[in-house]
Amino acid sequence: MAPVEPQREATGSTYTGEALALIQQVEAFARQLISFNFSTASDIWEFQINLLSLQRETQKSISNEKTRRKIEKTKDDSLQALQMVRQHARRLGDALAWTILGNDRGIIYPLGENDPVSIPHDNHGSRGLVAICEVLASRGWGFPILHDVTDCLRIGDATFVTIDGKERKTRTIESKTRHIEPPRENPTASTQYEVTISFVGHEAPEKDFKFDIELDPEPDPPRRPDRRIDRQAKRMHSALMKQSAQIDTPFIVDGSKAVLSRGESNARSRWGEVREAIAEARSTGYSSIKIDDAFMCIFLYNSAGLSAEAITGEERIVSDIVQSGILSKGDPQYGIVTSFLPEEPKRSACNYLPFYLYSIPPEAICDILHGRLVIFSAAGVGAIASAIEDVGFRVEIPKSDHPLHSMRIFSEISGPSGKRFTAEFGHLGIHFMECAHEFMGVEYVQDVILTMKTSTEKTLPGIIGD
């Protein structure tokens, strides 16, 4: 197939009809966040509430489209387009949360270790949470982030953020609002609700924690006691333990010993090269950059929007990957792992920087939103394994559809009294995704694993005993 035709004016979109109208609203929200056009905290709060309303509107459109498909027994791209709009709207909520939390992964990642949470209906539980957040914010709890507006915050219902100098302090709460049935002898009595707020490991900033909130008098249908409360409390406790753990100090979480390590990396996102590549793609329709011997990125652009056929038919992608050398270093049998922006909806949280916060022109971000700009990242699995081995580790790659996530990494470490142990370092898939989506080289993964090894050697006596 012929290369993508070069076009300059960003006027088109891969969306049509209802999906187009919705993505245009997402774009308006995105431009406001990118420019951070807010005068007060109240403006940010209003932005958050309105974004949640847009997400609900999108979810309603998805439900209606599913119903239409069942009735008419037809299939087209309308449902997938609406689901992508929802993904973009949720990731915009993630971008807001990342911004308020100062991009602190130590706070964000532990709150994402849960299954996806659906967009809530506009009911008493949701309205009650909003009212509670407004009251607590007015009482000095800080700015509230509604987890419902995000995809990355999956534990608890809201996180309050206060900034003291350069330090951010957070409190995460779980809220439940239950309608209390009126007594039979007085069925016309005023509507009452029981509000339960759970804090794990946090103290309320005041002893008198009573307050009044106003809710719509129409009750929700009666429900059985929610058994999820106990499970959610355990998740909140686990997240808090990980957020508040001391560096290089063993602690117990979920019944097992764990260690929080933190280090510095010299690896940096290649924003200058990325901006140049985007400018070239907007001019010619195509560009690519090699991050290092393990990672490369390809940029495709069409002002009218890129179809799936245009992407898969672009012959230069394969030739550029081969010529980049990311397959020639290490064992080539493991091939490459690819990822795309915009990303498809998936079950696990996207634990990497939302593209709305990329250090690229706002127009390029809107190009990603509308499908005019697609970024294709390729990682050479063998090259990554070779780079890890270069800094003293042994690597095994089991047969898997997700080789980077299943990669096993070992190292010999010294224990008490000089005894040698073999340590295995896992769960590094998140850091590989950071490299791919934040345009960092494999040096970043090397630094992460070396930090983990150093931390393990420091804390081994406390883990296994002296």
Side-chain angles (χ1 to χ4, degrees), residues 205-387:
E206 52 196 291
K207 294 182 179 179
D208 182 9
F209 201 65
K210 296 180 180 180
F211 54 85
D212 296 322
I213 58 176
E214 295 183 2
L215 294 176
D216 192 316
E218 182 181 351
D220 284 332
R223 295 185 299 178
R224 295 179 180 179
D226 195 341
R227 295 180 179 178
R228 295 176 299 176
I229 294 177
D230 289 341
R231 295 197 297 270
Q232 188 74 313
K234 290 179 181 178
R235 295 189 190 104
M236 288 174 62
H237 181 266
S238 175
L240 177 67
M241 292 296 294
K242 294 172 183 177
Q243 290 174 337
S244 58
Q246 296 295 314
I247 303 297
D248 294 339
T249 303
F251 63 99
I252 303 296
V253 60
D254 299 331
S256 301
K257 286 187 177 180
V259 175
L260 176 67
S261 58
R262 180 167 292 182
E264 296 293 329
S265 174
N266 292 322
R268 295 291 182 268
S269 298
R270 311 291 181 84
W271 293 124
E273 296 172 53
V274 170
R275 288 191 291 269
E276 291 178 1
I278 290 174
E280 181 181 347
R282 285 175 62 89
S283 175
T284 68
Y286 181 94
S287 67
S288 65
I289 58 173
K290 181 180 175 182
I291 303 296
D292 57 16
D293 288 337
F295 289 92
M296 75 167 300
C297 294
I298 292 167
F299 303 79
L300 300 170
Y301 178 82
N302 189 304
S303 65
L306 285 157
S307 65
E309 292 77 14
I311 297 170
T312 57
E314 176 51 72
E315 297 175 355
R316 286 174 289 185
I317 293 177
V318 175
S319 63
D320 274 7
I321 289 175
V322 172
Q323 293 175 15
S324 71
I326 65 173
L327 286 172
S328 61
K329 189 171 178 61
D331 194 333
Q333 69 168 315
Y334 299 115
I336 62 171
V337 172
T338 60
S339 56
F340 283 88
L341 271 178
E343 63 252 315
E344 295 284 342
K346 57 184 180 180
R347 187 166 186 80
S348 59
C350 297
N351 282 328
Y352 42 80
L353 189 71
F355 71 85
Y356 297 99
L357 304 181
Y358 282 1
S359 182
I360 60 177
E363 291 305 322
I365 292 172
C366 294
D367 285 338
I368 295 173
L369 264 181
H370 284 275
R372 297 186 292 259
L373 174 65
V374 171
I375 303 175
F376 177 91
S377 176
V381 178
I384 292 174
S386 177

Side-chain angles (χ1 to χ4, degrees), residues 125-195:
S126 181
R127 282 179 240 150
L129 174 63
V130 169
I132 289 165
C133 286
E134 290 175 344
V135 170
L136 294 180
S138 70
R139 296 192 176 190
W141 274 60
F143 185 87
I145 303 171
L146 297 174
H147 292 193
D148 285 339
V149 82
T150 76
D151 178 58
C152 66
L153 304 181
R154 300 180 173 188
I155 296 176
D157 288 328
T159 293
F160 292 81
V161 185
T162 57
I163 301 177
D164 183 8
K166 294 183 178 181
E167 182 183 5
R168 279 176 169 80
K169 297 180 180 179
T170 62
R171 291 186 179 94
T172 297
I173 70 166
E174 175 81 6
S175 167
K176 297 296 179 186
T177 305
R178 183 176 67 87
H179 172 243
I180 300 175
E181 294 292 330
R184 292 182 179 179
E185 61 273 14
N186 187 12
T188 61
S190 60
T191 304
Q192 293 184 323
Y193 300 91
E194 178 184 85
V195 178

Side-chain angles (χ1 to χ4, degrees), residues 383-399:
I384 292 174
S386 177
I388 294 172
E389 290 171 341
D390 287 345
V391 290
F393 294 83
R394 177 168 59 88
V395 179
E396 294 180 4
I397 308 176
K399 289 184 178 180

Side-chain angles (χ1 to χ4, degrees), residues 391-393 445-457:
V391 290
F393 294 83
V445 176
Q446 291 174 323
D447 290 340
V448 168
I449 301 172
L450 287 169
T451 297
M452 293 172 67
K453 179 181 178 180
T454 301
S455 179
T456 302
E457 289 177 328

